[in-house]
C-alpha cells in the first residue's frame, strides 16, 4: 500500500498532505519527512460536526464540550500521497462524499474581539468553533493549547446540515444581570477569604515572634542560673580534688615514717597548722558594700516585695527620685528636707511600700523622736550620696528587667 500520510521524523506528527508538511516545516523548521501507511484520523463529532485528527484531539473535545459521539470517516478520506505533483489548489468546500462544507457560524462579537487582539480570521473562527463559542477566555485558551497545530490557520469547514442547527439560546438581560451579580458575589467572597487568610498568617507570625522572644528571655534567665550552678559545681570538684591530694600526701608521709621506723604522727599535734586559709583571706579581701549597692539592693527588694504592682512601684521610684532631686537642688530649703510620715499622699506613694522609708534613710533622712517626720539635717546633706541615689532610681525606672533576676 502506498503512503497515505507523511510522518515528521523529528516530532512524529502525521500530516495528510504535502501542503501540511510544508506548513509544518515552516512553523517548526523540521525537514525530515517520510511516507507512512498510517492515515491521519478523521473523527467527526456527531453533535457539532467538528473534525478531529487524532484520538487525543477527540478526547480533549469531549472534555471541553461533553460530546462523546464521533463518526470515523478516516477510510473515506484516505488517498495516496502524491509526492511528484503536490496539489497547489486550495481545498474545495466539497468533501469526498460531495457533501457541501461551509464555514461554521460563530459569535461575531467574540470574533471581532479576537481579531482586535491580533489573531487571524481563520484562527479566531477555528478557536471559537472548537471551543464551543462559549467565551473569549475559552477561545484564547484553545489557541494557546493548539498553537502548534498544522491547520490552526485554515478556515474550519463543517457540513452544511450542521450549520442549520438551531443556535444556542442567548441569555436574556435579566439572566445576564443575575450572572453578573453571582460573579461579583464570588469575587467579593474570594477577596474576603484572602484578607482573612492574610490576617491569620500575620497573627501567626506575631505569635511565633512573641514565643521566640519569650523563649530567648527564658533561656537567658535560666542560662544565668545554670552558670551559677556550673561555677558552684566547679568549686565543689576543685574542693574534692584538693581533699584527695591532701589525703594522698598524708598517706605518703605516714608511709615514709613507717619505713624510717618512726612512730605514727599524732593527728592532734599536726592539726593546728592551717595558714593557708589566712593567706586566702589576705589574697582575696572582702570588699565592703558601698552605699550605692545598698540602695540598689533596697530598690530590688522593694520591687520583688510588690512584683504584682508594677504601676505603684514605678510611681514610688519616681517619687523617691523627686525627693532626692529637690534636696540636691535646694539644700537650704527645710521643706524639701522634711517629710511628714502621716501624710496620706506619702503613704500611698512610698510609705505604704516595704523598703520605701529604708531607701530614704539610706539617702540621709532620719526619723524624728516622736516618729512623725523624716528629717535630714542641713549638715548631713551629702550631694554625692543623693546623686548616687538618683542614678540608681533612674536605672530602676528605665530598665524593664530591673529586679527580675
Amino acid at each position: 500500500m502506498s503512503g497515505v500520510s507523511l510522518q515528521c521524523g523529528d516530532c512524529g506528527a502525521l500530516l495528510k498532505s504535502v501542503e501540511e508538511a510544508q506548513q509544518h516545516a515552516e512553523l517548526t523548521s523540521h525537514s525530515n519527512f517520510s511516507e507512512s501507511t498510517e492515515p491521519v484520523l478523521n473523527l467527526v463529532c456527531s453533535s457539532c460536526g467538528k473534525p478531529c485528527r487524532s484520538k487525543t484531539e477527540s478526547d480533549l473535545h469531549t472534555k471541553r464540550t461533553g460530546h462523546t459521539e464521533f463518526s470515523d470517516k478516516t477510510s473515506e478520506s484516505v488517498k495516496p500521497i502524491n509526492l511528484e505533483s503536490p496539489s497547489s489548489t486550495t481545498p474545495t468546500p466539497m468533501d469526498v462524499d460531495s457533501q457541501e462544507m461551509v464555514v461554521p457560524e460563530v459569535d461575531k462579537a467574540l470574533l471581532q474581539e479576537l481579531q482586535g487582539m491580533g489573531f487571524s480570521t481563520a484562527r479566531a473562527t477555528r478557536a471559537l468553533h472548537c471551543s464551543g463559542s462559549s467565551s473569549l477566555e475559552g477561545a484564547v485558551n484553545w489557541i494557546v493549547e493548539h498553537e502548534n497545530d498544522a491547520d490552526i490557520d485554515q478556515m474550519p469547514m463543517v457540513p452544511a446540515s450542521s450549520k442549520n442547527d438551531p443556535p444556542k439560546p442567548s441569555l436574556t438581560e435579566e439572566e445576564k444581570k443575575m450572572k453578573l451579580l453571582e460573579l461579583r458575589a464570588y469575587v467579593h467572597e474570594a477577596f474576603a477569604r484572602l484578607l482573612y487568610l492574610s490576617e491569620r498568617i500575620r497573627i501567626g507570625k506575631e505569635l511565633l515572634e512573641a514565643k521566640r522572644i519569650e523563649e530567648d528571655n527564658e533561656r537567658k534567665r535560666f542560662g544565668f542560673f545554670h552558670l551559677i550552678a556550673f561555677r558552684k559545681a566547679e568549686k565543689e570538684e576543685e574542693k574534692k580534688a584538693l581533699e584527695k591530694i591532701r589525703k594522698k600526701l598524708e598517706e605518703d608521709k605516714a608511709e615514709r615514717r613507717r619505713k624510717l621506723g618512726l612512730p605514727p604522727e599524732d593527728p592532734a599535734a599536726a592539726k593546728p597548722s592551717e595558714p593557708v586559709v589566712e593567706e586566702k583571706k589576705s589574697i582575696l579581701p572582702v570588699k565592703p558594700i558601698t552605699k550605692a549597692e545598698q540602695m540598689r539592693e533596697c530598690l530590688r527588694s522593694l520591687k520583688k516585695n510588690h512584683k504584682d504592682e508594677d504601676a505603684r512601684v514605678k510611681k514610688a521610684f519616681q517619687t523617691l527620685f523627686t525627693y532626692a532631686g529637690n534636696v540636691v537642688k535646694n539644700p537650704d530649703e527645710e521643706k524639701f528636707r522634711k517629710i511628714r510620715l502621716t501624710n496620706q499622699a506619702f503613704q500611698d506613694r512610698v510609705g505604704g511600700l516595704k523598703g520605701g522609708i529604708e531607701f530614704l534613710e539610706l539617702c540621709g533622712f532620719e526619723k524624728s523622736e516622736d516618729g512623725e517626720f523624716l528629717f535630714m539635717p542641713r549638715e548631713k546633706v551629702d550631694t554625692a550620696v543623693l546623686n548616687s541615689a538618683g542614678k540608681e532610681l533612674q536605672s530602676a525606672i528605665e530598665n524593664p528587667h530591673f529586679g527580675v533576676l
Side-chain angles (χ1 to χ4, degrees):
M1 180 179 178
S2 60
V4 293
S5 63
L6 292 175
Q7 185 175 21
C8 178
D10 297 321
C11 64
L14 290 176
L15 308 164
K16 62 182 180 181
S17 65
V18 176
E19 289 82 359
E20 286 192 3
Q22 291 174 347
Q23 293 176 359
H24 182 76
E26 292 174 359
L27 293 172
T28 62
S29 301
H30 297 168
S31 58
N32 183 17
F33 297 95
S34 60
E35 290 187 66
S36 174
T37 58
E38 183 180 355
V40 178
L41 298 180
N42 184 20
L43 304 175
V44 180
C45 179
S46 303
S47 301
C48 62
K50 179 189 180 303
C52 299
R53 297 163 56 90
S54 64
K55 188 67 171 63
T56 302
E57 189 173 346
S58 65
D59 291 341
L60 289 174
H61 180 72
T62 300
K63 187 176 181 181
R64 284 193 298 268
T65 63
H67 301 165
T68 57
E69 296 295 331
F70 294 89
S71 57
D72 190 354
K73 296 185 179 181
T74 304
S75 58
E76 300 175 5
S77 59
V78 169
K79 61 180 180 179
I81 294 291
N82 186 2
L83 298 178
E84 299 298 331
S85 56
S87 175
S88 60
T89 60
T90 57
T92 63
M94 304 293 291
D95 60 6
V96 293
D97 293 332
S98 299
Q99 184 179 9
E100 184 180 2
M101 304 292 287
V102 295
V103 178
E105 292 184 357
V106 295
D107 192 317
K108 297 189 180 302
L110 295 178
L111 179 62
Q112 290 179 359
E113 290 189 27
L114 287 173
Q115 289 174 338
M117 295 171 65
F119 297 113
S120 64
T121 304
R123 182 175 293 201
T125 305
R126 181 175 290 274
L128 289 171
H129 172 66
C130 295
S131 63
S133 297
S134 57
S135 64
L136 182 65
E137 183 182 359
V140 173
N141 290 338
W142 188 93
I143 291 175
V144 172
E145 293 175 1
H146 296 80
E147 60 180 354
N148 294 327
D149 290 359
D151 60 346
I152 191 170
D153 287 319
Q154 293 182 8
M155 186 65 74
M157 306 297 288
V158 297
S161 58
S162 64
K163 181 180 178 181
N164 297 325
D165 291 342
K168 295 180 180 179
S170 59
L171 297 176
T172 62
E173 291 298 327
E174 191 66 27
E175 291 174 338
K176 289 181 180 179
K177 289 181 181 179
M178 292 299 296
K179 288 284 185 183
L180 182 60
L181 290 176
E182 291 177 1
L183 181 61
R184 285 179 180 173
Y186 173 77
V187 171
H188 285 310
E189 182 182 356
F191 184 68
R193 183 168 181 79
L194 181 63
L195 288 178
Y196 170 74
L197 291 175
S198 62
E199 184 67 15
R200 285 288 301 274
I201 292 172
R202 184 187 66 80
I203 294 174
K205 288 182 178 179
E206 290 181 355
L207 290 176
L208 288 176
E209 182 64 17
K211 185 177 180 181
R212 185 189 65 77
I213 294 174
E214 184 180 357
E215 289 177 352
D216 288 345
N217 293 336
E218 289 292 326
R219 195 179 298 111
K220 290 177 182 177
R221 186 184 306 169
F222 287 108
F224 175 76
F225 292 131
H226 287 323
L227 179 61
I228 294 176
F230 177 72
R231 294 284 172 82
K232 189 175 180 181
E234 270 189 342
K235 289 182 179 179
E236 291 292 334
E237 290 293 330
E238 184 179 356
K239 195 173 181 181
K240 289 180 181 178
L242 291 174
E243 183 67 20
K244 190 175 181 181
I245 292 172
R246 187 184 64 78
K247 287 183 178 180
K248 180 66 176 173
L249 290 174
E250 289 180 355
E251 291 175 0
D252 291 344
K253 187 176 179 181
E255 181 66 20
R256 286 196 302 271
R257 290 181 69 86
R258 187 184 62 78
K259 287 181 178 180
L260 293 173
L262 299 174
E265 186 177 9
D266 186 6
K271 201 85 169 160
S273 59
E274 290 184 354
V276 181
V277 178
E278 296 295 332
E279 290 179 4
K280 279 190 177 181
K281 286 184 179 179
S282 61
I283 294 173
L284 298 173
V286 178
K287 186 178 178 181
I289 300 176
T290 63
K291 183 77 74 172
E293 291 174 341
Q294 292 178 1
M295 292 178 179
R296 190 182 309 120
E297 186 60 32
C298 181
L299 294 176
R300 187 179 290 112
S301 62
L302 189 151
K303 186 167 184 178
K304 286 184 177 179
N305 291 333
H306 305 277
K307 59 184 178 180
D308 296 330
E309 301 176 279
D310 291 340
R312 191 180 178 191
V313 169
K314 189 172 182 180
K315 184 179 288 187
F317 289 168
Q318 292 171 346
T319 305
L320 291 171
F321 186 83
T322 303
Y323 285 147
N326 287 339
V327 176
V328 172
K329 294 176 183 177
N330 307 282
D332 297 326
E333 295 282 345
E334 183 178 344
K335 64 179 182 180
F336 294 121
R337 294 184 282 107
K338 190 174 184 180
I339 303 172
R340 184 184 295 274
L341 292 174
T342 57
N343 185 289
Q344 189 60 40
F346 172 77
Q347 287 295 324
D348 292 341
R349 295 187 176 189
V350 177
L353 277 72
K354 185 178 179 181
I357 296 177
E358 289 81 351
F359 185 84
L360 290 172
E361 290 176 343
L362 289 173
C363 292
F365 285 90
E366 301 174 355
K367 284 186 179 181
S368 60
E369 293 180 0
D370 56 2
E372 186 177 355
F373 294 98
L374 277 176
F375 181 71
M376 182 185 294
R378 176 66 184 87
E379 64 274 7
K380 292 189 177 181
V381 174
D382 192 337
T383 307
V385 172
L386 292 171
N387 286 333
S388 297
K391 290 180 181 178
E392 296 299 330
L393 285 166
Q394 187 174 7
S395 174
I397 293 171
E398 295 178 353
N399 184 7
H401 304 293
F402 180 81
V404 175
L405 298 178

